[in-house]
Amino acid sequence: MIKILKPYRFITINFAQLLTIFYHIKTNKNVARIKAFKGLRPIKEKVTEVASRPYDVLNTEEAKTEAKGKELSFLHVVKPEMDFPVGSNPYAPEVYEKGKSNFQKMVDDGVFFQDEKDSIYIYELTMNGRSQTGIVACASIDDYFNDIVKKHELTRPDKEEDRKNHVRVGKMNAEPVFFAYPAYKPLDVLMDEVKTTEPVYDFVAEDKIRHVLWKVDDEFTVNNFIEEFAKVPATYVADGHHRTAAAALVGKEFREANLNHTGEEEYNYFLAVHFPDDQLEIIDYNRVVKDLNGLSKKQFLEKLDERFIICKADELFKPNKLHMFSLYIDGEWYALEAKEGTYDDKDPIGVLDVTVLSKQILEPILGIKDLRTDKRIEFVGGIRGLDELKKRVDSGEMAAAFALYPVTMQQLINIADSGAIMPPKTTWFEPKLRSGLVVHALD
């Protein structure tokens, strides 16, 4: 007897799922892909009023302060919880609706307009005399699921769901994600040619970072970029794992809900800025802890002495090589050098100083085992400087602070290529992308 149960179950998948299967087969390529799109952009006269720092570098109170008196600040779109009274639920449905309505008002008021032709954009950032230039274009959600877009961090479920709600409700990628790709000379040449033309924006933000954006909408040049980028084997999420995951997962939701899905819809793509890896710089990403797990300062230092060479520093001490750390505690700075056997330079994860810190201090001594969920630890981007670490300890808010030597781009690529995952909050890229320069609509 021939059993038909399993075949029957297979053919009862819905039509959208069946189209998705055929689309995957048709488009599966082991190369990275970019797509031109009709960007939503602020008019030139308003760009400096609109452009803001990204949502994840400011807490709610900092965002309120930064956007005070600036009704056009894009923070009202990407961080709309700041428009609600103190104590309000930042994840309430009305918060996401507020972000959507704030953006719609800027469109209705003529602050934002949509480019008429499918375009890509070239984006140059200059900080302290160093420039990096990237390609603003849509990435494919299929490349995300097929691991052509390579990741190196796990996401936190709460932060991922927050960004998903922004995409679901707003039906747009309001902020681009920050990607790297292996530097490829033909793309450098194409970008340099575009940079000889007149930009659509050129301004210096209040943090002294210069932002220049060019639009490319002639079909020949756009196709050149797309064809050359197709020779890139992979892209790497440099900054924005939560936004990347949210965009891909919501795009998949929209795809599965659309019975007429073709694969060409905008929700199949998400907004990214792609930079050649040889132009990028990673700075340190530091840690502060709220208590010493019941230990006195003396007991804590004694336990550290088993694993580190400890030297007291007379002033602010910044780590100057791999496996060197700085500790600030009780008004004093210390240099900590990891002893032999506390790290593994042959392992792409074991060599990282964030791993050494976790395995030799946070877990065994302080009892902090899950960096993604433990409320006793917080993370401070190196752009804030060592003074920020000192301030948070001196205020009594934190018991101790650790500064780390930054990872390199090559370490990031090695880890992503191996399929391994970095500990949370390992990389901090500067300069940050400005939000509000280009928006990608999904409908």
Side-chain angles (χ1 to χ4, degrees), residues 164-346:
K164 285 166 70 175
N165 282 333
H166 275 283
V167 179
R168 287 185 185 118
V169 175
K171 290 186 172 55
M172 62 181 173
N173 305 132
E175 291 182 299
V177 293
F178 188 142
F179 280 7
Y181 65 87
Y184 179 52
K185 188 64 176 177
L187 287 172
D188 292 343
V189 171
L190 285 172
M191 285 190 282
D192 287 342
E193 289 175 354
V194 172
K195 287 164 62 176
T196 64
T197 64
E198 185 74 18
V200 292
Y201 306 134
D202 185 350
F203 65 95
V204 177
E206 64 272 8
D207 55 8
K208 309 304 181 185
I209 297 172
R210 183 183 180 190
H211 303 265
V212 189
L213 191 80
W214 291 263
K215 181 176 66 125
V216 181
D217 63 5
D218 70 277
E219 190 173 350
F220 179 78
T221 307
V222 168
N223 286 338
N224 274 347
F225 271 100
I226 293 171
E227 289 169 9
E228 291 298 341
F229 204 90
K231 298 171 186 176
V232 172
T235 56
Y236 299 82
V237 182
D239 193 3
H241 280 79
H242 291 92
R243 277 168 285 169
T244 304
L249 291 169
V250 173
K252 185 179 179 183
E253 289 176 9
F254 289 169
R255 170 186 289 180
E256 292 175 348
N258 182 6
L259 293 177
N260 298 312
H261 171 77
T262 66
E264 300 302 318
E265 298 86 356
E266 290 299 323
Y267 58 67
N268 293 289
Y269 305 91
F270 60 95
L271 184 59
V273 186
H274 306 77
F275 290 97
D277 63 348
D278 61 357
Q279 294 186 19
L280 301 181
E281 182 177 41
I282 304 174
I283 65 174
D284 46 310
Y285 211 152
N286 303 314
R287 278 87 167 112
V288 288
V289 295
K290 292 188 176 181
D291 61 71
L292 299 181
N293 200 27
L295 300 172
S296 67
K297 175 185 174 183
K298 181 174 182 294
Q299 292 170 326
F300 179 59
L301 291 175
E302 287 174 350
K303 288 185 177 293
L304 289 183
D305 188 54
E306 300 171 7
R307 305 159 190 261
F308 297 85
I309 299 169
I310 305 176
C311 296
K312 191 173 179 180
D314 293 331
E315 54 187 19
L316 293 178
F317 173 72
K318 187 176 180 66
N320 54 18
K321 64 179 181 179
L322 194 63
H323 307 325
M324 180 71 77
F325 304 79
S326 62
L327 164 69
Y328 184 70
I329 183 172
D330 194 27
E332 296 179 317
W333 286 96
Y334 295 86
L336 310 178
E337 185 171 358
K339 294 180 179 179
E340 291 283 344
T342 60
Y343 51 84
D344 183 358
D345 285 347
K346 296 180 180 179

